[in-house]
Amino acid sequence: MVSTQGIPEHVAEIEDAVSAMLEEVAEVPEPALHQRAFRNLVDGGFVRSPVEGGAEGIELREFAAVLRVCGRVGLDAPVLEDYFAQWVAATTSSLRIGSPHTVALGGSDGRRLVKWADEHRPVVVIRHLGAAAELVVVAAISSGDVTLAGEPLGCIRLGTTLDWGASDLTFEQIETQFALLRSAMIIGAAERAMQLSEKYSVDREQFGKPIGQFQAIEQKLATLASHLTIASVSLDVALEWSPDGASSAVSHLDAMAAIIEARVLAGLVARSAHQIHGALGFTKEHRLHHTTRRLWSWRDEGPTEAEWAIRLARSALRRGDALWETIA
Amino acid sequence: MVLRTPPYDRLGCDVTIAGDISEIPLSNGMSDQMRPNWLLEGSQLTGTAGLRSEIRQFLAEDSQEFGWSPRPDSWLMAWDEGFSKRLAGRGWLGMTIPIEFGGTGDDALARFVVTEELLAAGAPVAAHWIADRQTAPQLLKFGTDEQKASLLPRIARGELFTALGLSEPDIGSDLAAVKTHGQRVDGGWRIDGRKIWTSGGTHASLLTALVRTTPISESGRKQAGLTQFFIDLDAPGVEVRPISLINGEQHFAEVLLDGVVVRESSVLGVVGEGWSQVTAELAYERSGPERMMSTLPVLLEFFRSLDPYATGEVSSLGFALARFISLRKLSGTIASELNTGRAPEVPAAMAKDLGTAFEQEVLEMIRSSAGADLDDTSASALGVLYRQAMLQSPGFTIRGGTSEILRTVIARGMRQG
């Protein structure tokens, strides 16, 4: 019997609730406002990963809805990193995270700059251990550097191993899970850039009418909307993926496809949104850059979309030459 | 206030900013919305494995026994009445026709799965395509009991093949402006005019034509006063002229209607309501697997030809796979929405725009990757399929609503949102 599996209703409710909480933060460059909003999220349990025997948290699928909203409003806080540090620690038998941490994936020996890391926020470094993954918790200091999006970077203090654990998951599984969650933020940011662009095309008049009434702009917005839709739909489904394969309807290929689409979308939306906004949107004072710089920053995090595309192709090829049977 | 201080004067233009930028108003309406109403929530079809397995087995055996092979764009190009009957025999034709009218009374989701499998296999489904996919749903929605009883069982058995009379030589995208007209005569209607791009016109027996029955001057607007008629393609006054496409094949026809008389019982639905009837199914027509899978047989053959451990460049293949995987999710989501009675017209237009673009782009990707193996003289299976597909490719983004029109539909839908 063929049936449909959509987004669980309670997930949509969480998205609603968090939207209301974070509404006032959208693109307002006041650090105190963002810090307060982040604290409210934390206090509300929205950044807590469930731990056996510990306080109630929210599951990955629900957390993705929180992230989508954070991406939409451009919340200047380590929401994803904080949750993920807890989540990935729980995939080991012994390591547990009780205070705020951030994460660094891969982090070859050379890379020492990590988002959100500082004296108060150590780093859970996730590394290959053969085919599996190991977690090493290290201390950090702030570096004064920032990402394209203006998110703060800290420096790992080598030789300060605070804790360690071996994960039940492979590095690839952890990396995929993280990229999926980041993709939720990308989609949220893309939604916002789209929304701003639509609004601008209605409000801004040239040659006697709103610029959105010119076909060139109208078609550009339509194309953006189509790409946003396909990436969003792909991710909605892909977020059902879990490393243990519990959802057999969603494969690792589906997850990689959604990750790729989100990154492709990020570049397209950022470029098009700026084009539609003209010169005004290109200023620091205008709100657009809060969203577009995040799109540029997040799409460059970890493997690029081209690298994910290579993995997807190779993964499909390894499953044999019957592509349709692999996908469907 | 004109800002000519850096960095503005380095932008190379005179940037005039009136007032303070931060004062540019942003309405409260934006934050009220979670997602725009055209942004569908993605869903996934489940429980499909058994059905897919059954059909795949049938297709493998059938192609072996009856000697057909995968063809790109098979839903338009591969007419095989024998296959249609065999498919009907297995209960995979007329799936959403109720049992009382000879169908299997399945739901649209099961039919969606069957459609995907048929197209992936490049199976010869063209003969029954229009009847099964367009005419039957229209009959179920708008047909009289007599029409349903007379036509649906024959469609479900793969015995009645139909064609659509919509476009005219002068009328393409602006469909409501059709000039073929119908006049009341004793006992029925007399129809005069000309239809073009009628797919399967040379082989089908029944045409569903969109005809103007009330002049625009009387009805006030062009969408009013149009009527759908069933016209027997063997009737006096009907002349079918095949059209050769660039591949030399004749899958489309012109249908000339010169004083064709039809009975009142040939009216489909309500006189004057033809436009709303024709547009009622747009979301369904634009979002189906056929809008993204026409060239899949080429991609599947290309994939088979690859060495899984080769070290060549595969990122473009990966991008194509990502897009196809995502397109299927979109098509399936829309099918689920349709199944619950909703009509997501904007997402459907998006699906067709992106899907048909994919159908073309995947050929370019294969060409770039396959390189010398696709030399124009290549007799390989891939070469044959690729060339068949290339000759069909311009049609993908034109038929059923051009991409440019679709984007206008999307933009309009977004504004209404």
Side-chain angles (χ1 to χ4, degrees):
Chain A
M1 172 68 186
V2 181
S3 59
T4 304
Q5 178 188 52
I7 301 179
E9 213 174 289
H10 67 279
V11 171
E13 284 163 7
I14 288 175
E15 198 174 319
D16 265 332
V18 176
S19 286
M21 284 174 74
L22 297 184
E23 209 170 66
E24 55 164 3
V25 162
E27 299 115 17
V28 178
E30 273 179 41
L33 196 61
H34 289 254
Q35 280 158 25
R36 191 168 68 234
F38 181 52
R39 260 199 312 280
N40 288 341
L41 274 184
V42 171
D43 292 344
F46 290 105
V47 194
R48 190 180 310 133
S49 175
V51 175
E52 220 176 286
E56 201 182 304
I58 69 170
E59 299 291 341
L60 280 167
R61 186 64 189 86
E62 300 159 330
F63 182 60
V66 175
L67 288 176
R68 188 161 176 148
V69 179
C70 292
R72 233 180 254 142
V73 304
L75 181 65
D76 203 25
V79 182
L80 168 55
E81 292 82 356
D82 196 305
Y83 180 99
F84 202 79
Q86 302 166 46
W87 179 84
V88 74
T91 66
T92 70
S93 55
S94 56
L95 188 59
R96 291 295 174 264
I97 299 296
S99 61
H101 283 61
T102 182
V103 296
L105 266 155
S108 62
D109 314 295
R111 191 186 316 156
R112 297 166 59 213
L113 288 179
V114 176
K115 283 194 230 183
W116 303 106
D118 63 25
E119 295 79 357
H120 310 292
R121 195 174 276 274
V123 184
V124 177
V125 178
I126 303 152
R127 299 202 296 230
H128 285 96
L129 182 65
E134 66 167 2
L135 310 186
V136 185
V137 184
V138 293
I141 53 168
S142 51
S143 69
D145 280 334
V146 293
T147 65
L148 258 177
E151 293 169 322
L153 291 164
C155 209
I156 286 179
R157 293 179 55 207
L158 296 175
T160 61
T161 304
L162 303 173
D163 212 336
W164 180 90
S167 175
D168 291 334
L169 302 177
T170 65
F171 184 86
E172 188 186 54
Q173 286 169 330
I174 296 171
E175 193 177 35
T176 299
Q177 188 65 73
F178 187 80
L180 275 173
L181 292 174
R182 183 65 82 193
S183 298
M185 302 188 80
I186 289 176
I187 302 294
E191 273 184 86
R192 182 62 172 176
M194 174 92 230
Q195 203 178 37
L196 291 169
S197 301
E198 276 182 273
K199 190 72 179 58
Y200 190 80
S201 76
V202 167
D203 290 344
R204 176 74 171 181
E205 295 197 4
Q206 288 291 278
F207 304 106
K209 60 183 182 182
I211 63 170
Q213 287 183 16
F214 290 97
Q215 255 197 8
I217 302 287
E218 178 187 83
Q219 300 246 320
K220 209 179 197 54
L221 282 167
T223 299
L224 268 189
S226 299
H227 282 88
L228 172 57
T229 296
I230 197 165
S232 178
V233 164
S234 190
L235 184 65
D236 281 344
V237 176
L239 284 169
E240 294 298 322
W241 178 79
S242 64
D244 60 10
S247 171
S248 58
V250 181
S251 69
H252 190 238
L253 297 180
D254 293 324
M256 288 192 278
I259 289 166
I260 291 164
E261 289 288 5
R263 275 150 181 70
V264 167
L265 176 72
L268 174 68
V269 170
R271 187 168 66 250
S272 296
H274 272 297
Q275 187 68 12
I276 289 166
H277 277 82
L280 292 174
F282 194 42
T283 62
K284 185 168 176 183
E285 205 174 338
H286 194 282
R287 56 178 70 217
L288 182 61
H289 70 92
H290 292 285
T291 304
T292 53
R293 288 190 303 126
R294 281 187 167 78
L295 289 169
W296 287 325
S297 176
W298 292 340
R299 70 171 180 164
D300 278 349
E301 179 184 63
T304 62
E305 57 266 33
E307 284 160 348
W308 281 106
I310 290 168
R311 293 180 190 190
L312 174 56
R314 295 217 176 279
S315 184
L317 283 165
R318 273 198 304 271
R319 291 175 203 215
D321 62 7
L323 174 62
W324 175 247
E325 285 75 3
T326 295
I327 290 178
Chain B
M1 175 180 77
V2 173
L3 289 179
R4 289 208 187 85
T5 54
Y8 296 105
D9 60 0
R10 287 205 290 273
L11 289 174
C13 60
D14 207 23
V15 178
T16 306
I17 300 168
D20 186 355
I21 297 169
S22 58
E23 277 170 25
I24 293 169
L26 223 46
S27 86
N28 281 335
M30 294 177 71
S31 50
D32 292 345
Q33 275 187 336
M34 242 182 53
R35 302 184 181 201
N37 62 4
W38 47 262
L39 187 54
L40 283 187
E41 285 186 7
S43 59
Q44 170 91 327
L45 295 186
T46 57
T48 69
L51 183 52
R52 292 192 192 279
S53 173
E54 258 188 82
I55 301 162
R56 288 172 191 174
Q57 182 162 8
F58 162 76
L59 290 170
E61 288 166 0
D62 195 87
S63 73
Q64 177 87 314
E65 186 177 343
F66 293 95
W68 58 265
S69 56
R71 184 137 189 200
D73 218 19
S74 68
W75 57 279
L76 217 53
M77 308 293 282
W79 186 285
D80 185 338
E81 296 181 16
F83 179 83
S84 298
K85 289 188 180 60
R86 294 193 299 274
L87 192 69
R90 289 298 299 263
W92 288 324
L93 229 186
M95 287 175 74
T96 52
I97 296 175
I99 293 172
E100 67 185 287
F101 290 118
T104 55
D106 269 304
D107 74 15
L109 298 184
R111 194 243 220 119
F112 180 87
V113 171
V114 170
T115 305
E116 281 199 313
E117 292 298 327
L118 290 170
L119 293 178
V125 295
H128 65 261
W129 188 265
I130 300 291
D132 184 50
R133 204 161 161 77
Q134 309 262 51
T135 313
Q138 288 227 295
L139 279 165
L140 288 170
K141 258 198 161 109
F142 308 115
T144 62
D145 289 338
E146 289 81 17
Q147 286 169 338
K148 288 187 215 178
S150 147
L151 301 174
L152 288 174
R154 292 165 59 205
I155 291 176
R157 286 196 298 268
E159 289 169 7
L160 176 63
F161 307 119
T162 66
L164 297 175
L166 293 170
S167 298
E168 299 178 353
D170 288 346
I171 305 295
S173 297
D174 189 9
L175 190 60
V178 290
K179 296 181 196 154
T180 299
H181 55 277
Q183 241 178 315
R184 278 194 188 281
V185 295
D186 199 25
W189 297 81
R190 176 203 156 109
I191 298 173
D192 289 274
R194 211 164 150 189
K195 293 295 182 187
I196 200 171
W197 310 128
T198 302
S199 59
T202 47
H203 302 296
S205 52
L206 193 66
L207 183 77
T208 319
L210 184 66
V211 175
R212 178 156 295 286
T213 47
T214 304
I216 298 173
S217 52
E218 265 181 62
S219 68
R221 52 183 198 109
K222 60 187 178 185
Q223 290 85 2
L226 293 167
T227 304
Q228 283 189 288
F229 287 93
F230 283 120
I231 299 175
D232 192 327
L233 286 164
D234 288 329
V238 177
E239 184 189 344
V240 178
R241 290 185 194 164
I243 297 172
S244 292
L245 294 181
I246 61 176
N247 60 5
E249 296 179 30
Q250 297 175 335
H251 300 279
F252 291 105
E254 251 191 292
V255 180
L256 288 85
L257 305 164
D258 185 11
V260 179
V261 176
V262 298
R263 291 199 299 273
E264 191 64 38
S265 57
S266 295
V267 171
L268 171 61
V270 179
V271 171
E273 289 296 308
W275 183 252
S276 64
Q277 290 175 193
V278 157
T279 54
E281 293 288 309
L282 279 179
Y284 165 70
E285 284 156 25
R286 287 178 172 162
S287 64
E290 72 275 20
R291 302 299 183 187
M292 48 201 68
M293 290 179 68
S294 304
T295 55
L296 194 73
V298 193
L299 177 61
L300 297 182
E301 180 59 33
F302 172 63
F303 197 84
R304 273 191 284 274
S305 75
L306 294 173
D307 171 1
Y309 299 101
T311 51
E313 220 289 298
V314 292
S315 69
S316 57
L317 172 60
F319 281 119
L321 293 178
R323 178 48 55 96
F324 182 62
I325 286 170
S326 304
L327 280 165
R328 283 191 68 231
K329 304 283 187 288
L330 180 56
S331 186
T333 297
I334 295 171
S336 297
E337 292 283 302
L338 289 166
N339 201 39
T340 60
R342 289 189 280 264
E345 297 214 354
V346 169
M350 294 173 170
K352 183 178 183 292
D353 187 7
L354 294 178
T356 52
F358 168 78
E359 290 177 332
Q360 293 173 337
E361 284 156 9
V362 79
L363 297 178
E364 298 301 320
M365 182 279 292
I366 290 168
R367 176 182 172 269
S368 302
S369 310
D373 291 345
L374 273 190
D375 173 277
D376 202 19
T377 60
S378 171
S380 67
L382 181 62
V384 169
L385 288 171
Y386 168 81
R387 286 195 294 278
Q388 282 176 342
M390 273 313 299
L391 286 172
Q392 279 301 102
S393 63
F396 306 152
T397 48
I398 294 171
R399 62 199 184 190
T402 67
S403 302
E404 290 75 16
I405 290 288
L406 294 174
R407 286 169 208 156
T408 301
V409 168
I410 293 165
R412 203 184 311 140
M414 286 165 66
R415 281 197 289 267
Q416 283 163 6

